[in-house]
Amino acid sequence: MAVSVSRKKPRLSKKIQCNELGFFYSFLEKILFRLPAAVLLLVFIYIWSSSTTVFSGNVVHFCVTSRKLNNLYCLSAGTQPNFQIPVSLVNDTSDVKEVADSGNRIRFEQVVDATEATASDSKSSILAVMSSKNETVEYAYMDVEEQLKTQRSWISISSHSTCEGRGIYVYELPSKFNKDLLVQCDGMIPWLNFCKFLSNEGLGEPIYKLGRGWYHTHQYSLEPIFHARALNHPCRVYNQDEAKLFYVPYYGGLDILRWHFKNVSNDVKDAMALDLVRWLEAQTPWYRNLGKDHVFVLGKISWDFRRNDKSSWGTRLLELDEMQNPVKLLIERQPWQVNDIGIPHPTYFHPHEDDDIITWQLKVIKSERENLVSFAGADRPDSPESIRSVLIEQCTSTSNGECKFLNCSSGQCDKPESIIELFMSSEFCLQPPGDSPTRKSVFDSLVSGCIPVLFDPMTVYYQYPWHFQEDRDKYSVFIDKEDVRKKSVNVVERLMKIPERERENMRRFIAYELLPGLVYGDQNAKFDKFQDAFSVTINNLLERVSRLNEL
């Protein structure tokens, strides 16, 4: 009788399989566990050497270099801002910034400390590497400075008396991307009629008390202001083939603002940005230089356009692959992104012609400076890293009234006239960081001839390469915020030691050298002797575009 014999190996029972797998994992675990600490340290050093840490204000960014990528891949540490209704309905100068920007950011030291604690649980050798905070900070600043050198290399030095080869094409976007957003102004901020700030092509309502050229301008009005000027630029062309620079008038900041106080999904927040990219991809010029000759003007801080997977805050506009090549002009830039360029916050002053600037310069120089120091702002009791409470204490405790404090939390800063009058009567204006490093009040103080006292290099020095000279001591005083936090320096006493002649020289430099380039003229402005903030920006953009083959 024939017997069939199977050639297949008998199937192991599940129990036997588990035992074999358990033995394998146990064996592998023993090998890995016995790896020398030196090997682990070498691996860590390799990762650390191919990475850098960059930070802006209180936000830390850990970036790893990839051979597959030309740029750094960065992770940002931060938390979604808290929802708070500010006591004051202040426009901006008080720096109680509209709730859209408020909230706590993880401090650089906190992130490093947390990493150190984790490292100490594994290997003490890693702890030694991670504890070198000062070196990390130094390298971070060096990275930012290298980016600024590149951006400053695009500064135009010619007068450009003609428009030959300098055509500017302004896209006629579907109105939903700009003009229709203005119509939604009444529902953007629940407790404030935002429409009055967006009237008059974004300048706002006139302030007759301050004179000609003064308007109640909101700090988030940059997009319509820039758009109106671009439409009237003498080098504007209507034929795409004649254009050198392509301006995309998308009001991305207002797009974000309309969702700040509404409970909507991320898909809703990102919808318009994605629609815009799809619209641009259908345009012939978009591919001509891979978007490098295109520019966006965004009237909010960079972080509002860089939402990550762990947050629901803002949009992902600037994280999109399609948005990496174009230039993005923002009131606060991302420090290590060379195509992010900071341009001035809009101030209340919008001159129409040269005489408006000259008249104001003379008024700034002749103004009586009754106060040595002033600070217009509010305390941040919920922000332990803020130095404002220390500054307020030092200001209000002066024996001879050398420092005047304008408390914006009580609504005293609602009127621009109050702010400008304070700054016009002060030698120095304290400008600590708020919810982010930059502050519109810095520009209001400079326009008023008040010397800004800065506490974080990210507030101005690492933000605006086209509008501020590298010689910082000519227009500002810097006091490290850590020294203030530790109370190792009294700011008022420090400023009292600056000679009167030095203050006068700084104020003249601000009035005659800086001021014209920090203000945006009105929509029909015509300047012969000066370049305003808009003209400086456009001329440098055209200079950059002319060097596209070098980029």
Side-chain angles (χ1 to χ4, degrees), residues 31-303:
I31 293 178
L32 293 176
F33 182 79
R34 294 179 181 179
L35 281 176
V39 175
L40 183 60
L41 178 60
L42 288 174
V43 172
F44 179 82
I45 291 176
Y46 170 77
I47 297 175
W48 186 259
S49 65
S50 63
S51 69
T52 185
T53 304
V54 183
F55 62 96
S56 174
N58 297 323
V59 186
V60 65
H61 313 274
F62 182 74
C63 309
V64 181
T65 303
S66 170
R67 296 177 181 176
K68 297 180 180 179
L69 299 173
N70 293 326
N71 298 323
L72 297 176
Y73 177 76
C74 301
L75 299 175
S76 301
T79 59
Q80 179 177 342
N82 296 325
F83 184 88
Q84 297 177 345
I85 301 297
V87 175
S88 170
L89 302 184
V90 60
N91 174 16
D92 36 62
T93 306
S94 69
D95 202 38
V96 183
K97 289 191 177 179
E98 182 267 316
V99 175
D101 292 334
S102 67
N104 298 322
R105 302 280 191 181
I106 295 179
R107 290 181 55 203
F108 173 75
E109 293 84 354
Q110 291 174 324
V111 175
V112 175
D113 290 342
T115 310
E116 288 177 343
T118 304
S120 64
D121 292 337
S122 55
K123 298 293 177 182
S124 59
S125 55
I126 297 178
L127 174 61
V129 177
M130 292 297 295
S131 63
S132 56
K133 300 179 189 177
N134 292 335
E135 284 187 33
T136 305
V137 172
E138 182 178 351
Y139 283 124
Y141 281 138
M142 290 173 61
D143 288 342
V144 177
E145 288 170 352
E146 285 300 315
Q147 298 282 4
L148 292 176
K149 287 180 182 178
T150 300
Q151 294 178 340
R152 286 195 173 99
S153 71
W154 301 330
I155 294 178
S156 175
I157 58 175
S158 59
S159 58
H160 298 301
S161 57
T162 68
C163 289
E164 184 177 356
R166 303 177 69 244
I168 302 171
Y169 185 83
V170 181
Y171 278 110
E172 293 187 12
L173 297 178
S175 60
K176 71 175 184 177
F177 293 115
N178 43 50
K179 298 299 183 181
D180 289 353
L181 293 173
L182 297 177
V183 179
Q184 302 178 43
C185 58
D186 59 342
M188 288 183 176
I189 302 178
W191 62 89
L192 181 66
N193 180 10
F194 199 59
C195 297
K196 64 181 181 180
F197 297 110
L198 297 178
S199 63
N200 201 11
E201 302 289 353
L203 301 183
E205 299 174 345
I207 305 176
Y208 298 107
K209 183 178 180 180
L210 292 177
R212 175 176 169 175
W214 288 85
Y215 299 85
H216 207 308
T217 306
H218 197 275
Q219 65 173 350
Y220 296 148
S221 297
L222 179 61
E223 292 154 352
I225 291 174
F226 203 96
H227 188 189
R229 289 293 301 280
L231 291 175
N232 292 324
H233 196 282
C235 295
R236 182 189 177 189
V237 297
Y238 298 87
N239 185 340
Q240 295 178 349
D241 295 331
E242 298 175 1
K244 195 79 171 180
L245 178 69
F246 294 84
Y247 166 48
V248 185
Y250 167 49
Y251 297 173
L254 297 183
D255 181 23
I256 288 179
L257 193 60
R258 64 181 176 146
W259 300 125
H260 273 335
F261 306 100
K262 297 179 177 65
N263 185 20
V264 298
S265 67
N266 289 339
D267 291 340
V268 173
K269 297 174 184 176
D270 293 335
M272 187 166 289
L274 295 173
D275 286 348
L276 176 69
V277 170
R278 285 192 289 266
W279 188 90
L280 287 170
E281 288 176 336
Q283 310 304 310
T284 302
W286 180 253
Y287 293 100
R288 191 174 301 166
N289 286 299
L290 301 177
K292 292 181 180 180
D293 51 5
H294 284 59
V295 60
F296 294 76
V297 177
L298 302 171
K300 289 182 108 297
I301 65 175
S302 178
W303 316 112

Side-chain angles (χ1 to χ4, degrees), residues 364-501:
V364 165
I365 292 299
K366 295 179 179 180
S367 179
E368 293 290 334
R369 306 284 164 172
E370 302 171 354
N371 308 309
L372 175 68
V373 190
S374 67
F375 175 41
D379 193 6
R380 298 293 173 86
D382 298 330
S383 181
E385 71 273 13
S386 175
I387 61 172
R388 292 182 170 218
S389 60
V390 179
L391 293 177
I392 293 173
E393 179 185 0
Q394 293 183 359
C395 180
T396 55
S397 62
T398 55
S399 57
N400 297 321
E402 293 92 352
C403 185
K404 186 172 183 179
F405 172 54
L406 189 63
N407 189 353
C408 294
S409 63
S410 60
Q412 297 185 46
C413 304
D414 291 348
K415 296 182 179 180
E417 303 96 304
S418 302
I419 299 297
I420 299 302
E421 289 173 0
L422 175 65
F423 290 168
M424 287 284 288
S425 63
S426 304
E427 298 261 16
F428 299 98
C429 293
L430 305 184
Q431 303 293 349
D435 300 310
S436 66
T438 63
R439 195 172 186 226
K440 177 184 179 292
S441 180
V442 172
F443 296 93
D444 290 329
S445 67
L446 286 166
V447 169
S448 305
C450 186
I451 302 165
V453 182
L454 307 176
F455 303 90
D456 188 329
M458 295 291 180
T459 300
V460 171
Y461 305 148
Y462 293 162
Q463 289 290 341
Y464 312 102
W466 293 351
H467 296 81
F468 287 90
Q469 299 184 15
E470 293 185 71
D471 195 344
R472 307 162 181 174
D473 294 337
K474 288 185 176 181
Y475 63 85
S476 67
V477 175
F478 181 78
I479 301 176
D480 196 293
K481 61 184 177 183
E482 291 304 319
D483 292 336
V484 177
R485 185 176 291 115
K486 297 173 184 176
K487 298 185 179 181
S488 60
V489 59
N490 185 295
V491 174
V492 178
E493 293 178 0
R494 170 83 171 272
L495 296 174
M496 290 176 64
K497 296 178 181 178
I498 298 178
E500 185 176 347
R501 182 60 180 270

